[in-house]
Amino acid sequence: MLNKNLELQAAALFTNFYDQAETEIGFTEIIQILGGGTPKTGESSYWNGDIPFFTPKDVGSPYTLTTEKTITEEGLAHCNSRLYPINTVFVTARGTVGKVSLPGVPMAMNQSCYALVDKDTPQLLVYFYTLKAVDRLKHKASGAVFDAITTRDFEAENIMKLSNDDTKAFLDVAEPIYQAVLNNSIENLRLAELRDSLLPKLMSGEIDVSNIQL
């Protein structure tokens, strides 16, 4: 709930600045579209390593911290994905289409997604611009099946670009907010993992709490 409130504050601030913006530009003028790829699934040395491997199944809101699958350094070297840093913007392009997420840890990505990175635009602003662009794509597809996003779709989109002053004013507030959201998400994950490790031991009686003084 805390994270959701923080996100809503940042979103409201961005909308305020976005609605005042006077410069319309092509979406791909400010971002670069990168892709992903999957290592050969039959090669065991490529899988179950320490590198999270993002697919449309793993979308978090806004941050993704864990993924269903992981790959090894060797697997990363044998696929078409780079290791994307924190705050890269991931957009699901096939399967579950039009979901936007931020990696909270460095991770690779499969070919059903795009990674959007800045040319000269701060990455958090890329995230909010992407939300606008994807929302427009969804509205255009209203009544039709929204079953894929292509690079051409992004190339056809325009956005309103914030002025330099508004960009600074927005990021001065939004970047600390999103750092807090990420920190909270990491702590929530840590607590959930602790709970999941302790609960079976409590249920089985392996850990006895009857003598703990409160």
Side-chain angles (χ1 to χ4, degrees):
M1 183 63 72
L2 174 59
N3 276 357
K4 184 55 65 177
N5 288 336
L6 289 171
E7 288 178 65
L8 288 173
Q9 290 176 40
L13 182 62
F14 176 76
T15 298
N16 181 61
F17 285 126
Y18 191 82
D19 290 345
Q20 297 175 22
E22 298 178 350
T23 304
E24 185 175 22
I25 63 170
F27 181 54
T28 51
E29 288 182 42
I30 61 165
I31 60 99
Q32 182 180 1
I33 304 171
L34 302 175
T38 301
K40 188 182 295 184
T41 54
E43 181 55 65
S44 60
S45 64
Y46 294 169
W47 295 93
N48 301 313
D50 296 326
I51 300 171
F53 186 67
F54 183 90
T55 76
K57 295 180 181 178
D58 301 309
V59 172
S61 180
Y63 282 101
T64 297
L65 295 174
T66 61
T67 55
E68 182 180 308
K69 298 177 180 179
T70 60
I71 61 174
T72 62
E73 290 285 351
E74 188 177 358
L76 181 65
H78 288 85
C79 75
N80 289 326
S81 176
R82 63 181 66 180
L83 185 64
Y84 289 108
I86 295 170
N87 284 338
T88 302
V89 179
F90 288 164
V91 181
T92 60
R94 287 178 290 278
T96 304
V97 179
K99 298 292 186 181
V100 183
S101 189
L102 299 167
V105 294
M107 58 183 64
M109 178 191 75
N110 82 349
Q111 65 275 11
S112 295
C113 311
Y114 294 117
L116 307 185
V117 298
D118 65 286
K119 290 181 177 176
D120 295 303
T121 303
Q123 200 60 38
L124 188 58
L125 201 53
V126 172
Y127 172 71
F128 279 93
Y129 284 146
T130 301
L131 292 177
K132 288 290 185 184
V134 169
D135 191 52
R136 283 171 58 94
L137 289 173
K138 288 179 178 178
H139 277 93
K140 287 181 180 178
S142 181
V145 178
F146 190 49
D147 57 359
I149 297 176
T150 66
T151 55
R152 187 172 297 175
D153 291 326
F154 284 131
E155 289 165 357
E157 281 305 313
N158 291 337
I159 59 161
M160 302 305 297
K161 184 181 180 183
L162 271 61
S163 68
N164 290 339
D165 287 345
D166 285 353
T167 292
K168 183 180 186 307
F170 171 69
L171 292 174
D172 282 348
V173 176
E175 285 183 334
I177 284 179
Y178 268 74
Q179 186 60 55
V181 169
L182 177 57
N183 293 344
N184 292 340
S185 299
I186 292 171
E187 180 64 11
N188 288 343
L189 177 63
R190 188 189 71 80
L191 291 174
E193 290 174 341
L194 182 62
R195 175 202 64 205
D196 292 344
S197 67
L198 289 178
L199 193 57
K201 296 178 180 180
L202 289 169
M203 298 293 288
S204 67
E206 184 178 341
I207 296 178
D208 183 5
V209 297
S210 60
N211 295 321
I212 295 177
Q213 300 293 321
L214 299 178

